[in-house]
């Protein structure tokens, strides 16, 4: 029997096609994840060149950490605010820019351009604008309103970092929503108008169900992205005032690279991984209720 059959050649071709992705996943996802789990069982003092096995001490420290509930609350608040504001604003912009009006190409470019700007440069500019004597308060002073020190108040600091992140990335979700809106058959809207449906009823009963796969996609992207935010916090507020804007990623960075608690930092990274995994799984499982025609 001939060994090098057509079927085996096809199988080999398939394995070769997936090999780069498979090797990359193993080297850059699975291996680091295993190493992080291993480091979480140790206390690694880089300065003293000591690497000691401590078992579950880092996990017990996690349970006793008085700052962790505040950090998780700040992380949840940031993610929820970003999700609601980003998706609602992106959908609104997409609906407006989907109209056949002059100048829509210019505005699409305008709203999308912040997406391609360097994150650090974008955040530094906003840091100057949000200072007590910055551009935002200058505009408010011109109309007789005295603005606060945006980055030094517990509430205003969180609002500021959320708004900066939304303005930076809303264009990406806007483009995704715009592509989805352009795929909705126009005949559905014509039938709705003939039945006497209002614009709002057509939006609720036709637009939202038809673009529900994109809504699910953008919600997952936005939630996962919100849990990975670091540069904005590091440049704008450094987690302050107090711990009001200390999200989990920044707290992980502080423990590992500022306080040199690498074992505890690895433990926090596993907490972050678990949160992302759970939220993504929940959102994916809820697709049967969210997504039109999903079974």
């Amino acid at each position: 029997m001939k060994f090098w059959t057509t079927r085996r050649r096809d199988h080999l071709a398939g394995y070769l096609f997936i090999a780069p992705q498979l090797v990359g996943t193993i080297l850059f996802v699975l291996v680091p994840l295993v190493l992080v789990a291993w480091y979480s069982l140790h206390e690694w003092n880089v300065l003293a060149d000591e690497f000691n096995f401590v078992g579950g001490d880092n996990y017990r420290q996690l349970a006793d950490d008085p700052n962790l509930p505040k950090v998780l609350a700040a992380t949840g608040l940031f993610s929820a605010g970003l999700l609601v504001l980003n998706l609602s604003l992106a959908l609104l912009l997409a609906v407006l820019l989907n109209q056949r009006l002059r100048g829509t190409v210019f505005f699409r470019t305008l709203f999308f351009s912040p997406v391609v700007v360097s994150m650090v440069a974008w955040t530094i500019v906003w840091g100057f604008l949000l200072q007590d004597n910055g551009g935002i308060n200058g505009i408010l002073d011109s109309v007789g309103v005295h603005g606060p020190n945006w980055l030094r108040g517990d509430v205003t600091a969180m609002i500021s970092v959320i708004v900066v992140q939304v303005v930076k990335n809303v264009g990406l979700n806007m483009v995704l929503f715009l592509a989805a809106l352009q795929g909705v058959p126009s005949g559905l809207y014509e039938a709705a108008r003939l039945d006497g449906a209002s614009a709002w009823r057509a939006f609720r009963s036709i637009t939202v169900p038809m673009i529900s796969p994109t809504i699910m996609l953008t919600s997952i992207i936005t939630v996962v992205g919100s849990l990975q935010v670091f540069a904005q916090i590091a440049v704008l507020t450094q987690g302050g005032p107090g711990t009001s804007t200390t999200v989990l990623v920044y707290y992980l960075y502080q423990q590992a690279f500022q306080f040199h608690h690498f074992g505890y930092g690895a433990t926090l990274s596993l907490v972050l991984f678990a949160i992302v995994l759970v939220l993504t799984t929940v959102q994916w499982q809820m697709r049967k209720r969210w997504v039109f025609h999903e079974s």
Side-chain angles (χ1 to χ4, degrees):
M1 181 178 179
K2 186 178 179 181
F3 176 78
W4 199 242
T5 62
T6 302
R7 182 177 181 181
R8 287 178 175 171
R9 284 200 302 268
D10 290 341
H11 287 173
L12 178 61
Y15 290 135
L16 291 176
F17 274 118
I18 68 172
Q21 179 69 28
L22 182 62
V23 172
T25 300
I26 293 173
L27 291 179
F28 300 111
V29 178
L30 298 182
V31 171
L33 189 59
V34 172
L35 289 176
V36 166
W38 175 247
Y39 292 151
S40 70
L41 301 175
H42 295 75
E43 186 52 52
W44 186 5
N45 190 328
V46 178
L47 299 179
D49 194 22
E50 296 179 352
F51 189 70
N52 301 316
F53 181 79
V54 295
D57 287 356
N58 288 321
Y59 293 92
R60 284 188 286 271
Q61 181 182 350
L62 189 72
D64 298 332
D65 189 345
N67 290 322
L68 188 59
K70 302 176 185 177
V71 170
L72 293 178
T75 304
L77 181 60
F78 179 83
S79 298
L82 188 64
L83 178 66
V84 173
L85 190 57
N86 192 321
L87 263 62
S88 58
L89 182 58
L91 184 55
L92 175 62
L93 291 174
V95 170
L96 294 176
L97 295 178
N98 194 41
Q99 310 301 315
R100 299 182 182 277
L101 302 174
R102 296 181 59 183
T104 55
V105 175
F106 168 77
F107 285 104
R108 290 176 190 176
T109 306
L110 178 66
F111 290 125
F112 185 78
S113 56
V115 176
V116 298
V117 175
S118 167
M119 176 59 73
V120 175
W122 175 266
T123 309
I124 290 175
V125 170
W126 273 95
F128 285 112
L129 292 174
L130 292 168
Q131 289 178 359
D132 190 25
N133 57 350
I136 301 297
N137 283 346
I139 296 174
L140 293 176
D141 286 339
S142 65
V143 294
V145 177
H146 180 69
N149 192 340
W150 296 96
L151 301 177
R152 293 296 176 264
D154 291 352
V155 177
T156 57
M158 178 59 75
I159 294 174
S160 297
V161 294
I162 291 175
V163 170
V164 170
Q165 180 70 4
V166 167
V167 177
K168 174 73 170 65
N169 289 328
V170 70
L172 178 60
N173 286 341
M174 180 199 72
V175 169
L176 295 175
F177 281 134
L178 191 58
L181 289 172
Q182 292 177 349
V184 179
S186 59
L188 295 178
Y189 295 111
E190 294 175 1
R193 283 195 295 269
L194 291 175
D195 289 339
S198 64
W200 173 244
R201 180 59 186 271
F203 176 79
R204 288 191 299 112
S205 302
I206 297 176
T207 305
V208 172
M210 293 299 294
I211 68 171
S212 55
T214 304
I215 295 176
M216 188 194 72
L217 171 65
T218 53
S219 67
I220 293 176
I221 293 175
T222 304
V223 168
V224 173
S226 70
L227 294 171
Q228 299 174 345
V229 165
F230 172 79
Q232 300 89 320
I233 304 297
V235 174
L236 289 176
T237 65
Q238 294 80 49
T243 58
S244 60
T245 60
T246 303
V247 294
L248 188 54
V249 171
Y250 190 75
Y251 189 59
L252 187 161
Y253 161 78
Q254 286 181 319
Q255 293 295 324
F257 298 102
Q258 289 186 352
F259 307 144
H260 302 290
H261 299 156
F262 287 97
Y264 189 53
T267 307
L268 290 171
S269 68
L270 289 178
V271 173
L272 177 63
F273 171 77
I275 292 174
V276 172
L277 180 62
V278 168
L279 289 178
T280 304
T281 303
V282 169
Q283 287 179 295
W284 181 251
Q285 292 299 323
M286 291 181 67
R287 73 190 188 279
K288 294 179 180 179
R289 299 181 60 183
W290 287 3
V291 179
F292 186 61
H293 283 327
E294 185 71 36
S295 60

